């Protein structure tokens, strides 16, 4: 496209400073020729011809248990695979595994990440079974697909001897799910700071969406304690579970708007010692999300008021109040900040160009992912699937179909190279 390129050059010469949208345009145009670059083509071919290798890594990693805070074994396996590519690999203080593909300009880095952890407890059965074209196992798609994609792209770049302009970091990070509270990504963003120019998060399957908006969320833990006692002989003493039920019924009747979309989930209850004991403690974990952070604050206040009222109801109705009363508190156990990728960002331009190159169309989505952290700090970030189809995330019936995975992997690689640039461009 010589005409278009010339037009951009003219505009660039006429402008005293480069605006972000022009930078994005220039990169996008460069991207069109990216897929034609001989080494890039070699890497893309590698992705096409090594789908079995990629699936084998996915199965191997999925079968290593990795609940949040217990990711070490899976992290070690990822480290071995990345090291085999000849990349310098290290493990940071929180347990993230980072492989570096040094660029010509090491002062700037771009990151491709995939979270290691799953929501499943350590002893969940996770033998991957095949059902026709499907692989079935908890965590197979979220985030077996992302991890396999990370390794496949790293290997393809290595095989094709691609040297990027900016250094590429391949990061398998801890603590994305639940109470991990994005601690792995927080540590990565902290470590690389201003050098970090873009983050591409691989999470699950698919090629039909790009998460550009970070959904804010807050997780709370309600704790109610009391004296406890015997179900028969101490009947009438205040009961923490009764208080929780009274408060919860009030809370779930809270009206939330459809727009901005706002949700709550009572996700986990623990407490009590036996069926014939008045419990001395109960805890409830609650997830609050909204497109508007003000709505989250409103829900937090509602939760506090409802639990306070539930505890008061229980105390007011207790026949025996002399031997102790109920105490309650609410702990913040997770907080994910919101944020949004600018429409004229270089990263979005690179993603759009990659979509064009593979003939794909993406819809923009809002979600709560590792990308929340860089986005909330003004660093360009997206979260995308690593191809194929998957479903049943966070359930024991989770499944993945590798069919068409190569499209997703190419999309990832072209987006990544779109923001890293190629060092060889300068010498040719
Ligand atoms: Zn995930």
């Amino acid at each position: 496209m010589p005409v278009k390129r010339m037009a951009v050059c003219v505009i660039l010469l006429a402008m005293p400073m480069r605006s972000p949208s022009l930078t994005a345009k220039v990169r996008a145009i460069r991207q069109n020729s990216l897929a034609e670059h001989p080494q890039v083509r070699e890497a893309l071919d590698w992705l096409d011809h090594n789908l079995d290798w990629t699936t084998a890594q996915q199965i191997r990693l999925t079968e290593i248990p990795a609940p949040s805070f217990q990711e070490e074994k899976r992290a070690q396996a990822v480290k071995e695979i990345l090291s085999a590519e000849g990349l310098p690999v290290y493990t940071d203080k929180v347990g993230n595994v980072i492989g570096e593909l040094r660029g010509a300009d090491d002062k700037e880095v771009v990151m491709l990440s995939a979270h290691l952890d799953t929501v499943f407890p350590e002893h969940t059965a996770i033998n991957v079974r095949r059902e026709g074209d499907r692989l079935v196992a908890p965590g197979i798609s979220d985030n077996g697909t992302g991890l396999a994609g990370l390794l496949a792209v790293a290997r393809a770049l290595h095989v094709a001897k691609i040297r990027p302009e900016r250094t590429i970091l391949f990061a398998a990070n801890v603590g994305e799910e639940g109470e991990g509270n994005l601690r792995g990504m927080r540590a990565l963003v902290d470590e690389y700071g201003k050098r970090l120019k873009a983050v591409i998060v691989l999470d699950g399957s698919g090629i039909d969406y790009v998460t550009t908006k970070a959904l804010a969320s807050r997780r709370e833990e309600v704790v109610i304690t009391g004296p406890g006692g015997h179900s028969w002989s101490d009947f009438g003493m205040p009961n923490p579970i009764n208080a929780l039920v009274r408060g919860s019924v009030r809370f779930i009747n809270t009206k939330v708007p459809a727009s901005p979309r706002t949700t709550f989930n009572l996700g986990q209850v623990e407490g009590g010692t036996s069926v014939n004991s008045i419990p001395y403690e109960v805890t409830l974990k609650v997830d609050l999300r909204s497109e508007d952070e003000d709505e989250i604050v409103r829900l937090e206040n509602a939760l506090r008021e409802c639990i306070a009222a539930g505890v008061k109801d229980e105390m007011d109705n207790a026949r025996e109040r002399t031997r102790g009363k109920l105490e309650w508190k609410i702990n913040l156990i997770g907080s994910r900040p919101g944020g949004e990728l600018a429409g004229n960002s270089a990263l979005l331009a690179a993603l759009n160009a990659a979509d064009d190159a593979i003939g794909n169309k993406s819809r923009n989505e809002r979600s709560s992912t590792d990308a929340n952290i860089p986005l909330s700090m003004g660093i360009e970030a997206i979260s995308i699937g690593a191809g194929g189809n998957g479903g049943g995330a966070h359930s024991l019936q989770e499944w993945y179909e590798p069919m068409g995975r190569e499209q997703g992997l190419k999309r990832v690689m072209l987006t990544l190279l779109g923001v890293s640039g190629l060092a060889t461009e300068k010498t040719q």
Side-chain angles (χ1 to χ4, degrees):
M1 276 173 298
V3 175
K4 214 170 177 183
R5 199 172 290 184
M6 199 161 38
V8 172
C9 288
V10 170
I11 295 167
L12 272 176
L13 287 170
M15 300 266 295
M17 296 221 305
R18 283 197 299 173
S19 71
S21 62
L22 272 178
T23 311
K25 263 188 209 158
V26 172
R27 280 187 186 277
I29 288 163
R30 218 204 272 168
Q31 177 95 14
N32 282 341
S33 54
L34 192 57
E36 307 303 322
H37 187 283
Q39 276 173 285
V40 176
R41 201 182 300 163
E42 190 185 338
L44 293 170
D45 284 348
W46 189 93
L47 294 174
D48 267 329
H49 296 127
N50 291 275
L51 292 169
D52 288 348
W53 181 87
T54 306
T55 301
Q57 308 316 308
Q58 182 172 2
I59 293 171
R60 177 182 162 198
L61 293 173
T62 299
E63 289 186 339
I64 304 172
S68 306
F69 300 100
Q70 297 171 65
E71 299 99 338
E72 302 86 350
K73 286 202 192 91
R74 189 179 285 189
Q76 187 54 35
V78 169
K79 192 173 186 179
E80 282 161 19
I81 300 166
L82 281 176
S83 299
E85 307 310 330
L87 295 180
V89 186
Y90 75 99
T91 305
D92 72 8
K93 58 180 185 295
V94 298
N96 296 317
V97 170
I98 303 111
E100 289 192 13
L101 179 60
R102 296 265 156 76
D105 175 8
D106 197 35
K107 286 197 257 333
E108 296 192 335
V109 300
V110 299
M111 186 186 295
L112 183 65
S113 79
H115 71 84
L116 288 158
D117 58 324
T118 73
V119 296
F120 303 101
E122 195 179 359
H123 297 294
T124 309
I126 43 174
N127 292 327
V128 178
R129 24 177 240 284
R130 287 184 188 270
E131 287 180 5
D133 292 334
R134 281 189 178 183
L135 302 171
V136 182
I140 186 71
S141 177
D142 180 14
N143 195 19
T145 310
L147 289 168
L150 182 84
L151 296 172
V153 170
R155 185 147 193 205
L157 296 185
H158 174 71
V159 168
K161 298 189 176 63
I162 287 179
R163 183 152 184 247
E165 190 175 318
R166 291 166 161 169
T167 290
I168 295 177
L169 307 170
F170 297 97
N173 62 287
V174 300
E176 191 273 342
E177 300 285 6
E179 286 165 52
N181 198 26
L182 313 185
R183 69 192 188 100
M185 184 55 76
R186 285 177 210 266
L188 288 167
V189 170
D190 226 42
E191 171 67 25
Y192 289 95
K194 288 205 164 65
R195 290 172 68 204
L196 189 55
K197 297 300 167 192
V199 180
I200 300 165
V201 174
L202 301 182
D203 202 342
S205 311
I207 57 169
D208 52 339
Y209 74 93
V210 50
T211 300
T212 54
K213 292 174 227 148
L215 179 63
S217 72
R218 208 98 23 116
R219 280 99 192 250
E220 315 271 357
E221 180 188 53
V222 177
V223 184
I224 307 176
T225 55
H230 191 279
S231 64
W232 169 258
S233 56
D234 295 319
F235 180 71
M237 283 174 69
N239 178 323
I241 291 183
N242 291 3
L244 180 69
V245 171
R246 291 177 193 272
S248 298
V249 168
R250 286 170 182 259
F251 179 68
I252 61 180
N253 285 317
T254 305
K255 295 275 177 285
V256 292
S259 174
R261 184 170 157 80
T262 302
T263 64
F264 59 78
N265 185 52
L266 277 56
Q268 204 175 7
V269 182
E270 277 171 41
T273 47
S274 73
V275 69
N276 56 344
S277 302
I278 298 170
Y280 54 83
E281 183 170 77
V282 64
T283 65
L284 164 70
K285 288 175 185 166
V286 185
D287 172 83
L288 311 173
R289 302 185 186 208
S290 180
E291 291 172 351
D292 181 348
E293 297 212 45
D294 289 349
E295 288 297 326
I296 296 189
V297 173
R298 204 175 65 81
L299 272 181
E300 271 184 315
N301 291 336
L303 180 65
R304 191 164 291 279
E305 280 164 23
C306 292
I307 295 300
V311 169
K312 183 171 185 302
D313 281 357
E314 178 63 10
M315 284 302 294
D316 289 349
N317 283 284
R319 287 195 231 165
E320 172 55 78
R321 290 179 225 170
T322 55
R323 284 159 48 212
K325 62 181 182 99
L326 298 179
E327 305 281 352
W328 67 277
K329 62 181 174 182
I330 296 182
N331 303 319
L332 182 67
I333 54 171
S335 175
R336 299 179 172 205
E340 199 165 328
L341 181 66
N344 61 1
S345 65
L347 179 54
L348 196 57
L351 184 275
N352 289 336
D355 271 342
D356 286 349
I358 64 163
N360 185 48
K361 281 229 177 312
S362 308
R363 58 173 198 282
N364 281 24
E365 280 204 343
R366 184 190 298 272
S367 183
S368 180
T369 70
D370 270 329
N372 280 48
I373 298 301
L375 281 175
S376 74
M377 299 172 77
I379 298 168
E380 296 189 4
I382 55 172
S383 177
I384 55 177
N389 286 308
H394 296 196
S395 83
L396 297 176
Q397 290 75 42
E398 190 171 340
W399 57 271
Y400 178 69
E401 282 173 3
M403 192 117 55
R405 187 211 293 268
E406 63 279 9
Q407 287 292 87
L409 297 177
K410 290 176 185 176
R411 180 175 181 240
V412 172
M413 182 193 281
L414 290 173
T415 306
L416 179 64
L417 293 177
V419 285
S420 73
L422 294 177
T424 48
E425 280 178 5
K426 281 182 180 167
T427 54
Q428 281 175 350

